[in-house]
Amino acid sequence: MTIRSDAYIDGKWRSAAARFDVLNPATQEVIARVPDLGAGETEEAVAAAHRAWPAWAAKTAKERAQVLRAWYDLMMADIDRLARLITMEGGKPLAEAKGEAAYGASFAEWFGEEAKRAYGRTIPTTTASRRYVTLKQPIGVCAAVTPWNFPMAMITRKAAPALAAGCTMVLKPPSQTPLTALALVELAERAGVPAGVFSVVTTKSHTGAVGKVFCESPLVRKFTFTGSTEIGKKLGAACVGSTVKRVSLELGGNAPLIVLADADLDKAVKGAIASKFRNAGQTCVCANRILVEDAIYDEFSKKLADAVSKLKVGDGQAEGVEIGPLIDKHAIEKVEAMVGEALASGAVALTGGKKHAAGAQFYTPTVLANVTRDMRVNTEEIFGPVAPLIRFKSEDEAIAIANDTEYGLAGYFFSRDVNRCWRVAEKLEYGMVSINEGVFSNEVIPFGGMKESGLGREGGVEGLEEYLETKFMNFGGF
Ligand code: NAP
């Protein structure tokens, strides 16, 4: 399998003497060594993006759509290699990685088409001698920073709308999973994306220096980030404080999954597993905590624990594996600490509750009963295969527990009562609410959060807006 391991700046592959290791989280083996670039190379990439912008923006939306379509076709044709790379460096099971690759590619198809409809408006005038119109124009150079948990889709969800709108982009991929990013830019080059329009700067020791250029360069007009709330707040503040650039933030979550007494319990168990255990619990929209109504608590816990105890754990590259490793040593330590604290405070492990024999970074899929609201497994993002169950007695109590967090990304609930579905969905303070289903992401929906889960939306019509300026024009004096 071809693995690209150099960075890509201004249409050229860039090597460097200083390189860092990319590890397979299942085995800790080194897969490749990637350039450890810094502020100088980032400034070069930004300057190239700035030079490339006018010609790219001057193309018609249809011309850019043809390039994006070619990129989509190349990604789909190369889906097996992309999926294997995602699994090798990110750890998720191959079937999930294939799903991510198709999901990731879909943004190129969708936004290429959608940019053809970046309509302005005519506004009825207030004065007889004037006419008012608005025009949608690309923002300009965009800088992007993405996380390791979706090595492909978090990139295309930003790069596709940016390029479709007529912007250019410099990406800093995560240090744990830069190889998928490099494969993507290789395919973008083959699709006809011109030099400078999409560059990838890899870095590990100079992450802060690269981030500083992104936030402070006056040539960068937009900064788009997906990652933790802590880092997102810091970088967002730096962008506004230095150069008042447009900022999009896709940050952490603490998703509740509520099972109401009238729910179809088998469907709820299936949904809870799909939501909680995808990518071993390492997604921002993973159900972090499961709230269960008193009347069905025992029955639901038993069904869930039975199903969870059967999940197959192992190297994501092996056939039939459903739960891969956690991304690194810190991740496994954090999960161990959170479960340990919960057990010490009265929670009970119905299944799991400890590391898994498959390797140093594997954790056994776990269901914790008797969890209380003050435990960290309820208040913080776990990012591991651990389902804490919290008992509630009324719909209002469930909504209060669900909303009692600084996060507001995704929320889920299960009920067969249509009135209740509307009532609960409207009261949940979450950017995305999924009813009776544990998985919902795709390219046509506005993905994003309320509260400290972020600013802006990715995907859908809204995702294109994030890369467009609205210019107002007054035609006067006639
Ligand atoms: P993270 O630690 O915030 O890192 C995210 C990215 O920021 C990485 O590329 C990281 O680079 C980079 N970074 C860190 N410090 C930086 C700095 N000073 N300047 C520039 N870049 C910097 O988050 P993570 O652990 O990778 O990802 C997990 C988090 O992402 C979770 O909280 C999850 O909920 C969230 N997430 C949100 C969404 C969403 O759509 N809302 C989607 C996926 C994930 P290095 O790799 O070099 O550290």
Side-chain angles (χ1 to χ4, degrees), residues 145-149 154 157 172-176 203 207-208 211 225-228 231 234-235 250-253 284 381 383 409 447:
V145 172
T146 54
W148 50 264
N149 63 344
M154 297 303 97
R157 208 165 71 171
K172 189 212 83 61
S175 52
Q176 286 109 327
T203 188
T207 297
F225 175 86
T226 301
S228 63
I231 306 286
K234 208 171 93 178
L235 297 179
E250 292 286 345
L251 309 177
C284 53
E381 208 176 20
F383 249 52
L409 192 60
F447 189 108

Side-chain angles (χ1 to χ4, degrees), residues 460-474:
V461 185
E462 293 83 353
L464 187 67
E465 264 311 306
E466 300 279 331
Y467 294 91
L468 293 168
E469 290 281 11
T470 300
K471 181 179 283 176
F472 162 68
M473 294 192 291
N474 171 41

Side-chain angles (χ1 to χ4, degrees), residues 194-363:
V197 169
F198 185 28
S199 291
V200 178
V201 178
T202 52
T203 188
K204 183 166 174 120
S205 15
H206 309 290
T207 297
V210 172
K212 195 165 155 44
V213 174
F214 281 179
C215 297
E216 295 181 3
S217 169
L219 299 184
V220 175
R221 301 275 178 85
K222 154 123 198 175
F223 177 68
T224 172
F225 175 86
T226 301
S228 63
T229 295
E230 183 197 349
I231 306 286
K233 275 184 181 174
K234 208 171 93 178
L235 297 179
C239 284
V240 175
S242 59
T243 45
V244 199
K245 51 185 54 95
R246 283 267 290 273
V247 173
S248 297
L249 303 172
E250 292 286 345
L251 309 177
N254 180 5
L257 185 146
I258 305 171
V259 188
L260 293 148
D262 61 69
D264 174 332
L265 291 196
D266 292 324
K267 208 184 242 182
V269 166
K270 213 169 140 218
I273 289 188
S275 171
K276 171 84 245 181
F277 293 94
R278 199 154 59 105
N279 199 14
Q282 303 171 107
T283 87
C284 53
V285 291
C286 269
N288 199 47
R289 53 223 168 94
I290 300 178
L291 317 182
V292 190
E293 193 157 353
D294 193 35
I296 45 122
Y297 185 92
D298 292 338
E299 190 185 350
F300 176 81
S301 337
K302 186 173 172 332
K303 278 178 183 264
L304 182 68
D306 281 353
V308 169
S309 66
K310 296 189 182 102
L311 291 172
K312 188 172 171 196
V313 181
D315 186 331
Q317 297 190 78
E319 196 55 43
V321 162
E322 294 161 294
I323 304 286
L326 298 192
I327 189 70
D328 58 25
K329 174 167 139 297
H330 304 294
I332 197 107
E333 283 167 7
K334 181 182 168 201
V335 171
E336 277 196 289
M338 284 172 99
V339 172
E341 281 168 34
L343 293 175
S345 310
V348 175
L350 300 182
T351 183
K354 55 181 186 306
K355 282 177 71 171
H356 192 275
Q361 287 174 204
F362 289 85
Y363 199 82

Side-chain angles (χ1 to χ4, degrees), residues 137-202:
Q137 292 184 307
I139 292 181
V141 177
C142 302
V145 172
T146 54
W148 50 264
N149 63 344
F150 285 90
M152 176 164 166
M154 297 303 97
I155 294 172
T156 50
R157 208 165 71 171
K158 297 180 188 305
L163 268 52
C167 297
T168 56
M169 178 167 274
V170 180
L171 164 75
K172 189 212 83 61
S175 52
Q176 286 109 327
T177 61
L179 303 175
T180 309
L182 297 171
L184 288 179
V185 79
E186 176 196 352
L187 297 177
E189 181 187 51
R190 278 173 49 199
V193 173
V197 169
F198 185 28
S199 291
V200 178
V201 178
T202 52

